[in-house]
Amino acid sequence: MEDDTGSSDLPDNEVLELLYESKKLCVQCARSVFERAISCFRTSAPKLKEERTMLLEEWLNMQSGFGKLDDICLVQARIPKKLKKEETIDD
């Protein structure tokens, strides 16, 4: 029986580089899924604006944890601005 302690024949910097590349690919895949979902909401269900906004906010959370600052700005630009509706009070 082999003892698998997580040691590798690769130097630490190569292991870190491989982990970074793997993480980068995962983030790119997730970004692709978010982009397809947003596109689907926009074309197939344009009335579901609140759901699309929630999806964009989740995408922003994901980018905040893993992405670069410019990636975060791209997602923030897609989130609709929240407007307050003024109510008229009839006497």
Side-chain angles (χ1 to χ4, degrees):
M1 184 180 269
E2 291 183 24
D3 182 25
D4 186 18
T5 59
S7 62
S8 173
D9 294 338
L10 297 172
D12 287 342
N13 61 346
E14 287 184 31
V15 171
L16 290 175
E17 187 175 321
L18 287 172
L19 288 172
Y20 175 76
E21 290 299 320
S22 175
K23 180 179 172 182
K24 195 163 102 172
L25 284 173
C26 289
V27 170
Q28 287 174 349
C29 289
R31 187 178 303 136
S32 174
V33 169
F34 277 112
E35 287 174 349
R36 282 184 286 155
I38 294 298
S39 175
C40 181
F41 268 110
R42 187 171 285 140
T43 57
S44 301
K47 292 183 179 181
L48 299 176
K49 293 179 182 181
E50 185 176 335
E51 287 80 357
R52 188 177 66 182
T53 301
M54 290 170 42
L55 184 63
L56 283 165
E57 289 171 353
E58 284 303 315
W59 185 6
L60 181 62
N61 290 338
M62 189 270 306
Q63 284 296 136
S64 297
F66 298 107
K68 298 176 185 171
L69 188 58
D70 57 337
D71 296 335
I72 294 169
C73 291
L74 291 174
V75 178
Q76 283 178 333
R78 290 180 162 197
I79 295 178
K81 306 295 183 251
K82 294 179 182 174
L83 299 176
K84 288 186 178 181
K85 223 179 196 181
E86 289 187 26
E87 292 184 35
T88 57
I89 301 174
D90 296 328
D91 287 336

